[in-house]
Amino acid sequence: MRTHLFLLLLPVFFGHAFASAAVVESAHVETATDYTRLVFDLDGRLEHKVFTLENPDRIVIDFTGTRLSGSFDTLDLSATPITKIRSAARNESDLRVVLDLQGRMQPRSSFVARDDGNGEQLILDLYGANAPAMATTISGESRTAAVSAPAPDLKRDIIIAISPGHGGEDPGAIGVNRLREKNVTLAISREVVEKINAMPGYKAVLLRDGDYYVGLRERTQLGHKHSADLYIAIHADAHANKQASGSTIYALSQNGATSEQARLLAEKENAADLIGGNGRMKLDDKDEVLRSVLIDLSMNAQVQTSLEIGDQIIRSLGEVITMRRRNVEQAAFVELKSYDIPSLLIEAGYITNARDAKNLDSPAWRREFAGALTAAITDWFYDRPPHGTWVAWQKQHGNAAPSTYTVKRGDSLSALAERYGVSMSALKFANDLESNEIQVGQVLMIPANAAGSMSQFREHKIARGETLSGIAESYAVPMARLRETNQLNSDTIRVGQVLKIPTI
């Protein structure tokens, strides 16, 4: 699944506001081995913002209270990742510049004084998508620029560690038709990782990606190494009673938490570890009493959060698969004994039950499971996003994150569009659907302007000489969505007509 224009709205920089209007007088392009530089000559510094859009990849620069003198048509873009530069006036006083790209790029911007002293230059450097934040070299002088992208931890991904049970010489439980737990858990985990990584603002890491064994303590250590916000172990249950079936969710028990606290305090090297998730704190400079209190608080918080997330997962999984228990169980599993990462162990089903074994071995069932689990995780973190994450930034700045829905038997795309108050074309565009067909277990992204935000439109009054395609480009809205929103049967528009422009 790919992320789309109105689902991924990644703001990268908001310039400081300046009272005076400005003119973009000219522009030129410079190339280097590791980046491409686009330089805008301005008659003064101005308020602007830069953000990226995907599918297709673009960078958008919105200039406030600004007009363009000339055009970008004469720029030589042949040796750059930019395929085209487009511009249009918007909101009667602002200017939007759109860079069409060959692939995903990461922009960083800064202001410098023009050599002629007649204003400023906006420097926009385009790096590969995974480039880290760095100083920018301008006119031969190395300086730390007013970089458009904030430090990575200000908009980091929410990290989910997925741990497939067993592996290598440890096959786990052997079930119906010699089905092996280690193979089932890896297959399910890969599905879960794929679905989570399709969600903007999330990153799933797979702690075992092959048929080898990873020790239980090593698994929790890997969770810490990746600075995980949530740890989920995937297992399959077994029982002598072949009738036992269904999924169960486990969090750490109080006894398990107590024993882990004692272990951490007894082992000095562990007492020097860090606690507190991504905002961690050292323990090695604390006395034993304070260490004990901090570990106790951290463990209690971990267990409580795990129980809350587990309840959300049970509600979501229960809509598509059979649950053996409707409450989160608690046990002293070693994998759950992380003192600062919420941790859950999911027994996906009974490998010794004929029906469960058939499901566990079914790619379609695994997709259902992974879709419901992903929906539960993203819904929970959207309600309580960790500080410094992209999801938290989106909520803080009023950009509603996309909702998710896991397709159930009997659902149709048209019924879901009606339920969430969103157009069919917008729903298809959001989920890269070429037809109206959907699959059970598929996780659909519900556009942010749906489900309670249906009135989020701006209005545009058509002026002489404007075209529907030009208006779509100006607002960076797909033509199909513009037609659907305004119930247009053709691209013909008339002067004075008021169009609804859907919020991206």
Side-chain angles (χ1 to χ4, degrees):
M1 188 182 296
R2 290 177 292 175
T3 308
H4 299 284
L5 184 151
F6 54 88
L7 289 178
L8 178 58
L9 223 168
L10 179 60
V12 206
F13 173 78
F14 286 88
H16 297 288
F18 293 87
S20 59
V23 176
V24 177
E25 297 180 342
S26 61
H28 65 274
V29 177
E30 303 170 9
T31 59
T33 56
D34 59 342
Y35 68 93
T36 296
R37 173 168 293 173
L38 182 60
V39 181
F40 295 94
D41 292 319
L42 315 170
D43 67 351
R45 192 174 292 195
L46 62 147
E47 182 181 355
H48 77 293
K49 64 180 178 181
V50 180
F51 58 90
T52 63
L53 299 172
E54 293 189 358
N55 297 325
D57 293 295
R58 283 153 293 164
I59 292 173
V60 179
I61 309 105
D62 279 342
F63 297 97
T64 302
T66 307
R67 61 182 178 85
L68 174 65
S69 175
S71 74
F72 302 110
D73 294 341
T74 58
L75 289 178
D76 182 7
L77 306 175
S78 58
T80 76
I82 307 170
T83 59
K84 185 179 180 181
I85 302 180
R86 298 175 282 124
S87 65
R90 59 191 302 270
N91 299 336
E92 298 184 355
S93 60
D94 301 337
L95 173 69
R96 169 167 285 182
V97 176
V98 179
L99 313 183
D100 294 326
L101 305 174
Q102 296 177 11
R104 187 179 177 188
M105 303 296 291
Q106 180 175 320
R108 303 192 181 111
S109 66
S110 59
F111 282 108
V112 296
R114 285 169 58 170
D115 293 337
D116 59 12
N118 294 323
E120 303 233 0
Q121 289 181 325
L122 174 65
I123 309 292
L124 185 69
D125 289 335
L126 310 182
Y127 292 85
N130 297 319
M134 61 183 71
T136 304
T137 302
I138 301 174
S139 302
E141 176 187 357
S142 180
R143 68 178 72 182
T144 302
V147 182
S148 64
D153 62 340
L154 293 182
K155 292 182 191 169
R156 67 172 181 85
D157 289 336
I158 294 173
I159 300 172
I160 315 297
I162 304 296
S163 176
H166 308 282
E169 295 180 357
D170 174 17
I174 306 295
V176 177
N177 296 325
R178 304 296 296 171
L179 188 62
R180 295 188 172 194
E181 182 181 2
K182 67 175 183 178
N183 297 331
V184 166
T185 60
L186 182 58
I188 293 174
S189 297
R190 284 172 171 165
E191 285 282 355
V192 174
V193 167
E194 181 180 353
K195 291 204 179 285
I196 291 175
N197 283 337
M199 302 297 292
Y202 293 86
K203 178 184 178 182
V205 292
L206 192 59
L207 302 188
R208 174 174 74 84
D209 194 14
D211 188 13
Y212 52 88
Y213 180 75
V214 181
L216 297 178
R217 287 288 181 188
E218 186 180 353
R219 293 167 189 258
T220 59
Q221 291 168 4
L222 285 171
H224 281 94
K225 178 181 178 181
H226 288 287
S227 299
D229 296 282
L230 175 64
Y231 177 101
I232 292 183
I234 305 292
H235 286 258
D237 221 332
H239 201 283
N241 179 2
K242 301 299 190 291
Q243 300 305 311
S245 66
S247 299
T248 308
I249 313 292
Y250 289 91
L252 187 61
S253 67
Q254 187 57 48
N255 288 340
T258 301
S259 64
E260 185 68 6
Q261 293 168 29
R263 188 186 72 84
L264 289 169
L265 288 171
E267 298 179 17
K268 298 298 183 184
E269 65 273 18
N270 286 320
D273 268 349
L274 306 173
I275 66 173
N278 279 280
R280 292 177 178 168
M281 175 174 60
K282 282 187 174 294
L283 295 176
D284 55 358
D285 59 347
K286 310 295 189 297
D287 63 39
E288 187 169 348
V289 173
L290 183 54
R291 283 204 306 271
S292 176
V293 171
L294 291 174
I295 291 172
D296 180 64
L297 290 172
S298 186
M299 290 292 295
N300 288 339
Q302 187 267 83
V303 172
Q304 181 59 40
T305 302
S306 300
L307 291 170
E308 293 175 3
I309 300 175
D311 284 337
Q312 181 102 13
I313 292 174
I314 286 174
R315 289 193 295 272
S316 184
L317 285 179
E319 294 183 351
V320 296
I321 67 173
T322 302
M323 300 300 299
R324 182 171 177 81
R325 297 281 188 271
R326 284 288 175 176
N327 296 307
V328 181
E329 301 292 306
Q330 292 183 262
F333 288 115
V334 173
E335 274 193 89
L336 303 181
K337 291 185 176 182
S338 174
Y339 44 90
D340 62 345
I341 302 175
S343 301
L344 293 164
L345 186 147
I346 302 179
E347 298 281 8
Y350 278 81
I351 203 168
T352 47
N353 175 272
R355 185 188 63 184
D356 279 11
K358 182 180 179 180
N359 287 336
L360 293 168
D361 200 30
S362 163
W365 185 92
R366 293 195 293 259
R367 283 194 296 270
E368 282 189 77
F369 179 96
L373 179 57
T374 299
I377 291 169
T378 54
D379 285 350
W380 194 90
F381 276 110
Y382 177 66
D383 289 338
R384 310 163 187 80
H387 177 72
T389 60
W390 181 84
V391 176
W393 193 97
Q394 289 284 302
K395 289 193 70 175
Q396 180 184 353
H397 289 79
N399 298 319
S403 302
T404 61
Y405 176 81
T406 304
V407 177
K408 304 176 184 62
R409 291 179 181 84
D411 282 339
S412 67
L413 197 68
S414 59
L416 292 175
E418 184 177 356
R419 179 188 307 178
Y420 288 102
V422 61
S423 68
M424 284 275 284
S425 60
L427 197 55
K428 289 170 68 175
F429 188 86
N431 294 280
D432 193 29
L433 300 176
E434 296 182 356
S435 71
N436 295 342
E437 294 183 4
I438 51 179
Q439 297 178 344
V440 173
Q442 183 176 358
V443 177
L444 295 179
M445 297 181 184
I446 309 300
N449 69 316
S453 302
M454 293 156 48
S455 63
Q456 292 184 4
F457 296 101
R458 67 187 70 177
E459 292 186 347
H460 177 92
K461 189 173 183 179
I462 297 172
R464 191 174 302 279
E466 287 189 311
T467 63
L468 193 69
S469 60
I471 294 170
E473 283 194 10
S474 176
Y475 289 100
V477 174
M479 283 277 285
R481 192 171 176 210
L482 198 56
R483 293 191 201 99
E484 179 77 20
T485 301
N486 293 276
Q487 299 181 341
L488 299 175
N489 296 322
S490 70
D491 294 348
T492 302
I493 53 177
R494 64 181 186 279
V495 175
Q497 182 179 357
V498 177
L499 294 179
K500 289 183 178 179
I501 310 297
T503 304
I504 297 173

